[in-house]
Amino acid sequence: KYLGALVKTSMNRCIQCTRCVRFSAEVAGVPELGATGRGEDMEITTYLEQAMTSELQANVVDICPVGALTSKPYAFAARPWELNKTESIDVMDALGSAIRIDTRGREVMRILPRVNDAINAEWISDKTRHVVDGLRTQRLDQPYLRENGRLRPASWSEAFSAIARKLARANPKRVGALIGDLAAVEEIFALKDLMTRLGVTNLDCRQDGAMLDPNWGRASYLFNPTIAGIDAADALLIVGTNPRKEAAILNARIRKRWLAGNFPVGVIGPKVDLTYGYDYLGAGPETLADVARHSFADMLRKAERPLVLVGATAFARADGATIAALAAKAAVDLGAVKDDWNGYGVLQGAASRVGALDLGFVPGEGALNARQMAAFGTLDVVFLLGVDELDIAEGAFAVYIGSNGDRGANRADVILPGAAYPEKSAIYVNTEGRVQMAARASFPPGDAREDWAIVRALSDVLGKRLPYDSLASLRRALFAAYPHMQRVGQITPGNPADVRKLAERTGGSTERTPFRAGVSDFYFTNPIARCSAVMAECSALALGRATMTAAE
């Protein structure tokens, strides 16, 4: 039977336990599996054998007790005893789901979930599980240098020399550095250290343009109630986000709480299918500004632990700072910020964002932000650490450090091949502020190196030698500057007073433009996913570009 791109069927094994049916209907909230026929003719199937559409569909493989449902991309690829198993964390979104990476040699063969009740329970999203082939497609495995409009292979010394020549002639005020969505804390720290020594203040980790400022306090950009705290909440207001696409596991957790009852949900923003019922309040900032007068606000005020969930995309507008203040004011006015409960939660979309904000990787006073750096004529040299979601205008000399040949590499004048997330031991901070450690499961291909090591080697050539020669010494410097980074697995909470201060910043004008969805295509949100043939097939099915019927 055909169930889509991810689930392979051997229905002669099926014992009709209906675990997959219950998962689809109850956990995923997309009731697309069911039983047809009666008695000995009963079959588990989708309607007319169409592809499954849930972002969590591949979890049915884990819960099938007899192997009637198996992983289609992994079929006949390897035997379990051939694989080395490494416990790590996921970076496809900002939740930091617990995963196990199975490798054979240096090749990642599959990714499976690990149980972590504080974040992902026992589930992972389809993108987390099946992005594997993107880790071996279009990989950057040697430096490249652009000459006469074309990229050519180069040695590390050639690439570093070209960068040094450009920087020698550049004013530090016309040099900038940007951080992508998958960067780890160590390379962000090293790049900031190098830029500081060069006198560069044009730094930004918000390539989407989100108006979030670490000077407002850590609580202004964290998911303060925590992911597990959703289970304790008793009312929810969602502002400017589609959690089903931006954080599928978080959305499943919200659905679990909704199913338990007495959990009113209100939405301000795009009207979408969230797999649970909600009251639609409005589409734009004007609704957020007047939400205290809406009838739904009474439910939030009566709740003991109301939760206001704001998507980071809501701040990625010209009026983003005002939106942040309005959202914080709504949380305070509706009783979501108390001494024993901070219900103001920002849902970040990028795995690197909270760690970079913690490190203060934002423009200095009078410096340029990401959108200004991307504009024509503002910079002479720009460093792109895995930046693939932002179009950099021609004119600036672009140095790209990353793992996959995507938009950033296509724009670059110098490409320095870095390591993907399974190929390095790295620290990430998830959207709730939890410090997590990703473990190295394999090694980068060819001449590619870990990103922090590239920055360290470049600092030698630039005459601004960084004072750490190993990952351990880099982490010692990191922990000395930011002590909370050494508390792996723990959350350093933000101060609720920061949310109250942010709420008092209201007064700016807002645009009439409605909030938009932060993710248009769930399967194509980062360069690794865009290099995956499996994700391409899932994207085509989801967007209706490819269909298959029972007749086919």
Side-chain angles (χ1 to χ4, degrees), residues 295-346:
S295 58
F296 184 81
D298 296 333
M299 299 185 197
L300 291 165
R301 291 192 186 96
K302 291 174 185 175
E304 290 184 22
R305 289 178 294 275
L307 199 161
V308 177
L309 187 160
V310 191
T313 314
F315 311 127
R317 308 159 40 112
D319 58 354
T322 306
I323 297 297
L326 286 174
K329 186 175 188 302
V332 172
D333 291 348
L334 298 173
V337 182
K338 306 174 183 177
D339 293 336
D340 59 343
W341 171 258
N342 187 349
Y344 179 74
V346 177

Side-chain angles (χ1 to χ4, degrees), residues 189 472-486:
F189 178 76
S473 60
L474 185 154
R475 283 179 175 160
R476 280 194 294 272
L478 171 67
F479 297 157
Y482 305 95
H484 73 282
M485 288 292 179
Q486 61 191 314

Side-chain angles (χ1 to χ4, degrees), residues 126-317:
D126 296 339
K127 183 167 54 180
T128 297
R129 186 186 299 260
H130 287 298
V131 78
V132 170
D133 62 321
L135 293 166
R136 48 182 179 259
T137 307
Q138 288 184 215
R139 288 302 303 271
L140 301 172
D141 59 358
Q142 65 184 99
Y144 288 87
L145 194 57
R146 189 176 297 277
E147 286 185 356
N148 302 320
R150 297 177 66 88
L151 288 168
R152 68 163 179 86
S155 66
W156 281 101
S157 58
E158 278 184 295
F160 286 163
S161 297
I163 298 168
R165 285 195 300 272
K166 284 289 181 180
L167 281 175
R169 300 194 298 267
N171 185 326
K173 291 184 178 179
R174 291 185 60 83
V175 178
L178 295 166
I179 296 295
D181 291 349
L182 306 182
V185 168
E186 288 89 347
E187 54 247 35
I188 297 171
F189 178 76
L191 184 59
K192 185 187 178 188
D193 196 354
L194 177 59
M195 292 298 110
T196 302
R197 291 165 190 266
L198 292 170
V200 175
T201 57
N202 300 318
L203 311 174
D204 208 345
C205 62
R206 307 159 302 182
Q207 62 172 337
D208 59 354
M211 307 292 278
L212 291 169
D213 192 337
N215 293 323
W216 296 345
R218 201 162 186 256
S220 68
Y221 57 84
L222 291 186
F223 192 79
N224 296 288
T226 74
I227 296 168
I230 292 171
D231 298 341
D234 46 8
L236 171 64
L237 175 64
I238 298 174
V239 179
T241 182
N242 177 358
R244 181 176 172 185
K245 300 292 185 184
E246 295 177 39
I249 295 295
L250 183 90
N251 194 67
R253 193 135 199 167
I254 295 172
R255 174 177 167 78
K256 175 186 171 186
R257 176 64 189 87
W258 176 78
L259 284 174
N262 298 318
F263 189 63
V265 180
V267 170
I268 299 174
K271 188 182 287 188
V272 291
D273 178 12
L274 294 177
T275 72
Y276 42 84
Y278 59 82
D279 293 321
Y280 187 68
L281 310 185
E286 64 280 358
T287 307
L288 178 61
D290 294 332
V291 69
R293 289 195 285 269
H294 198 280
S295 58
F296 184 81
D298 296 333
M299 299 185 197
L300 291 165
R301 291 192 186 96
K302 291 174 185 175
E304 290 184 22
R305 289 178 294 275
L307 199 161
V308 177
L309 187 160
V310 191
T313 314
F315 311 127
R317 308 159 40 112

Side-chain angles (χ1 to χ4, degrees), residues 219-550:
S220 68
Y221 57 84
L222 291 186
F223 192 79
N224 296 288
T226 74
I227 296 168
I230 292 171
D231 298 341
D234 46 8
L236 171 64
L237 175 64
I238 298 174
V239 179
T241 182
N242 177 358
R244 181 176 172 185
K245 300 292 185 184
E246 295 177 39
I249 295 295
L250 183 90
N251 194 67
R253 193 135 199 167
I254 295 172
R255 174 177 167 78
K256 175 186 171 186
R257 176 64 189 87
W258 176 78
L259 284 174
N262 298 318
F263 189 63
V265 180
V267 170
I268 299 174
K271 188 182 287 188
V272 291
D273 178 12
L274 294 177
T275 72
Y276 42 84
Y278 59 82
D279 293 321
Y280 187 68
L281 310 185
E286 64 280 358
T287 307
L288 178 61
D290 294 332
V291 69
R293 289 195 285 269
H294 198 280
S295 58
F296 184 81
D298 296 333
M299 299 185 197
L300 291 165
R301 291 192 186 96
K302 291 174 185 175
E304 290 184 22
R305 289 178 294 275
L307 199 161
V308 177
L309 187 160
V310 191
T313 314
F315 311 127
R317 308 159 40 112
D319 58 354
T322 306
I323 297 297
L326 286 174
K329 186 175 188 302
V332 172
D333 291 348
L334 298 173
V337 182
K338 306 174 183 177
D339 293 336
D340 59 343
W341 171 258
N342 187 349
Y344 179 74
V346 177
L347 178 59
Q348 301 287 356
S352 66
R353 187 64 52 81
V354 173
L357 289 172
D358 280 353
L359 267 55
F361 204 99
V362 292
E365 190 171 346
L368 305 175
N369 62 28
R371 287 180 176 171
Q372 290 167 333
M373 283 190 257
F376 180 79
T378 56
L379 294 180
D380 294 330
V381 181
V382 60
F383 288 87
L384 309 175
L385 183 56
V387 177
D388 291 281
E389 317 304 323
L390 184 64
D391 291 322
I392 309 296
E394 295 296 325
F397 183 83
V399 179
Y400 177 79
I401 305 172
S403 63
N404 288 69
D406 199 67
R407 201 178 308 168
N410 187 54
R411 166 63 185 87
D413 295 288
V414 174
I415 296 175
L416 305 177
Y421 69 99
E423 298 161 1
K424 56 189 174 186
S425 174
I427 293 172
Y428 289 88
V429 186
N430 78 346
T431 189
E432 57 184 352
R434 187 187 302 272
V435 179
Q436 298 177 294
M437 185 77 75
R440 174 192 279 157
S442 62
F443 292 88
D447 284 339
R449 297 289 181 267
E450 292 185 46
D451 303 60
W452 75 265
I454 295 172
V455 177
R456 165 65 185 80
L458 178 60
S459 72
D460 256 352
V461 178
L462 299 179
K464 302 290 183 182
R465 184 187 178 97
L466 298 178
Y468 26 80
D469 295 323
S470 66
L471 185 58
S473 60
L474 185 154
R475 283 179 175 160
R476 280 194 294 272
L478 171 67
F479 297 157
Y482 305 95
H484 73 282
M485 288 292 179
Q486 61 191 314
R487 294 192 278 274
V488 177
Q490 299 180 36
I491 297 173
T492 302
N495 187 347
D498 294 335
V499 181
R500 296 188 180 98
K501 286 180 187 175
L502 179 58
E504 295 169 1
R505 296 173 60 92
T506 53
S509 60
T510 59
E511 299 176 348
R512 302 286 295 178
T513 314
F515 293 121
R516 61 178 179 84
V519 174
S520 57
D521 190 340
F522 170 76
Y523 299 100
F524 276 174
T525 56
N526 61 64
I528 298 175
R530 285 191 289 270
C531 290
S532 166
V534 176
M535 292 296 99
E537 187 174 355
C538 290
S539 173
L541 288 167
L543 299 179
R545 292 196 298 265
T547 58
M548 185 175 285
T549 65

